[in-house]
Amino acid sequence: MFHRFRFFSIALIILLWCAQTVKAVHASSVLPDSIPITALGKFHIQGIAMDKEKRYLYVSYTTQLVKIDREGRIVGSVSGLAGHLGCIAFNPKDGKIYGSLEYKDDEIGRNINEKSSGQRESATQFYIASFDVEKINRTGMDGLRDGVMTAVCLPVVKKMFEGSATINGVTNKHVYGCSGIDGVSFGPKFGKKGGKTYLTVALGIYSDMKRTDNDYQVLLQYPWPSMMRYARPLDLNRMHSEGPAKPAGTYFAYTGNTTYGVQNLEYDPYSNQWFMAVYKGKKPTFPNYQIYAIDNSVKPTTKTLIGYGGERGKVVELSKTGLRDEATGVCGWNFAYGNMGMQALGDGHFYFFHFDKTNKEKNSGWLELYQYKPETQKPFVKVGR
């Protein structure tokens, strides 16, 4: 009896080990190591998202959302957005794609208007766009006319963008340096694993060497799906302003100023971290890493914000697994990819977009499969290397 018990115990251990091994290699064995991304339109790629079950990839080309299969073939697109569609995220709970969508009159907005076809109302608004990707079956679809897109307005972002802040007698436009919104991702409330789902959106932040109140990444959390009761079709000639008056929470991550804030945001359930990919900052007093991670196992704490004239806010803690700058205490990594697209696959693997360096528009390239390796100086290593 004892020998039989020992045999079954050993067999169970082997089965569990095999299950863990299969889980660990699942992404690299089932998904392609590389997926080509075709050049399309006049604007560079902003973000990527993947529906692993239905085997489709989605790409934001700034003014259009494109649906692609895993061989890189275009299946369909929603175009003519005439605004800045930034980071995008797939929500497995409803099978839709969500993205930050902004309309504004600044350098970026004017550039988009000049290069875009069609007309839109001259208004400043910031939205979370929701795409019913099941309906995307041909190129050039219209979000309003074809009923494939709705949008939730974020009035608090408009207030920050159009407002100003006075710190130590100096007044600057744009609260927190807010340039709008960009990074979006679905995940838990900061500091909790599991529970209710929140859509987290990161402010875009202008690069400004002189001001001191732009050294945090600012992240807004909205409860999903309750926020979607404000979703409306978006008519570019009469842009609506329906949306929650304020987020459920506003959080601050101390990284130092970066160029236009969090470009791509991704919650990774495997490591329980929020990854933030940015364009490098320019302030010499900071390490100016290209990727930061928020440790979601640590609850946010209310602190006096550095350089904000005494304002207090909920501060989330950066993960300490990366490089650490002793002067500022800021942790992160020097990793060149992610600011134009990254996708956590939920098992320690990520896709990152590599743009074709011969294409000045940066609207073509490929996705490369990586594995998260926190013990290395660069947190992601190409699969098979």
Side-chain angles (χ1 to χ4, degrees):
M1 179 65 71
F2 173 76
H3 292 294
R4 182 179 298 175
F5 174 78
R6 186 171 67 175
F7 170 79
F8 283 117
S9 298
I10 294 171
L12 179 60
I13 291 171
I14 292 172
L15 285 172
L16 289 173
W17 179 84
C18 289
Q20 291 297 320
T21 302
V22 169
K23 181 180 179 181
V25 301
H26 175 73
S28 58
S29 63
V30 174
L31 297 175
D33 291 350
S34 181
I35 301 174
I37 304 296
T38 304
L40 201 64
K42 302 175 182 178
F43 301 99
H44 80 75
I45 287 171
Q46 302 284 343
I48 61 169
M50 178 173 282
D51 179 352
K52 290 193 297 182
E53 286 190 8
K54 296 189 177 178
R55 306 181 69 80
Y56 285 114
L57 172 72
Y58 299 90
V59 181
S60 164
Y61 283 82
T62 307
T63 59
Q64 58 182 324
L65 179 77
V66 180
K67 183 177 183 178
I68 298 172
D69 68 20
R70 293 193 185 181
E71 284 70 47
R73 294 184 293 254
I74 294 174
V75 176
S77 65
V78 180
S79 25
L81 298 178
H84 182 283
L85 179 66
C87 179
I88 56 176
F90 176 72
N91 185 355
K93 294 192 174 182
D94 67 355
K96 294 182 179 180
I97 289 288
Y98 291 75
S100 58
L101 180 59
E102 53 180 30
Y103 297 91
K104 58 186 179 179
D105 183 24
D106 67 354
E107 182 181 0
I108 295 175
R110 288 189 292 272
N111 182 49
I112 290 173
N113 286 341
E114 289 172 4
K115 294 181 179 179
S116 297
S117 58
Q119 300 293 321
R120 72 168 180 86
E121 179 186 2
S122 178
T124 296
Q125 292 290 3
F126 302 93
Y127 298 98
I128 295 297
S130 174
F131 296 89
D132 188 348
V133 291
E134 287 287 330
K135 295 180 180 178
I136 300 176
N137 55 17
R138 65 185 187 278
T139 58
M141 296 183 73
D142 182 276
L144 176 67
R145 186 177 60 249
D146 293 318
V148 294
M149 187 188 88
T150 58
V152 176
C153 189
L154 303 183
V156 71
V157 178
K158 181 175 180 176
K159 288 180 181 179
M160 288 189 284
F161 176 78
E162 295 182 337
S164 61
T166 301
I167 308 294
N168 299 325
V170 178
T171 299
N172 287 298
K173 293 181 179 180
H174 314 296
V175 178
Y176 307 138
C178 173
S179 70
I181 51 176
D182 212 329
V184 294
S185 187
F186 288 94
K189 187 175 182 179
F190 283 121
K192 291 188 177 181
K193 189 170 185 179
K196 294 181 179 178
T197 298
Y198 287 81
L199 184 146
T200 302
V201 56
L203 295 188
I205 297 176
Y206 287 117
S207 176
D208 190 328
M209 304 280 284
K210 296 179 181 179
R211 66 191 296 175
T212 62
D213 59 337
N214 62 352
D215 290 332
Y216 288 82
Q217 304 301 332
V218 184
L219 303 116
L220 314 177
Q221 286 203 312
Y222 291 89
W224 185 93
S226 60
M227 68 176 295
M228 299 311 295
R229 69 179 183 269
Y230 297 101
R232 305 285 187 275
L234 185 59
D235 184 343
L236 295 181
N237 294 311
R238 293 182 297 275
M239 293 193 290
H240 75 80
S241 58
E242 297 295 319
K246 61 181 182 179
T250 301
Y251 301 87
F252 299 84
Y254 190 62
T255 63
N257 181 240
T258 59
T259 304
Y260 291 117
V262 177
Q263 295 298 298
N264 273 256
L265 177 69
E266 192 74 4
Y267 174 67
D268 175 35
Y270 180 82
S271 64
N272 195 25
Q273 295 179 106
W274 297 82
F275 287 92
M276 302 180 291
V278 305
Y279 297 138
K280 289 185 69 170
K282 298 175 182 176
K283 288 187 177 181
T285 53
F286 288 94
N288 297 319
Y289 300 127
Q290 293 157 295
I291 282 193
Y292 303 89
I294 295 169
D295 185 349
N296 198 58
S297 69
V298 180
K299 290 185 177 181
T301 55
T302 301
K303 297 179 180 180
T304 300
L305 302 176
I306 300 169
Y308 282 55
E311 181 178 345
R312 292 174 64 80
K314 296 177 182 177
V315 177
V316 292
E317 187 168 317
L318 295 181
S319 297
K320 294 181 173 59
T321 52
L323 305 174
R324 186 178 191 275
D325 178 62
E326 294 300 327
T328 60
V330 172
C331 297
W333 293 277
N334 292 313
F335 185 74
Y337 305 106
N339 50 39
M340 292 175 66
M342 66 175 171
Q343 170 70 62
L345 299 173
D347 62 354
H349 290 83
F350 283 68
Y351 272 122
F352 288 94
F353 175 70
H354 290 232
F355 69 87
D356 181 356
K357 293 182 179 180
T358 65
N359 181 349
K360 66 177 182 178
E361 301 293 348
K362 298 182 181 179
N363 62 359
S364 66
W366 66 96
L367 299 190
E368 193 79 32
L369 187 63
Y370 285 77
Q371 188 171 5
Y372 178 51
K373 296 281 189 179
E375 69 278 6
T376 59
Q377 285 199 344
K378 290 188 177 180
F380 301 99
V381 176
K382 285 185 181 181
V383 169
R385 297 288 179 90

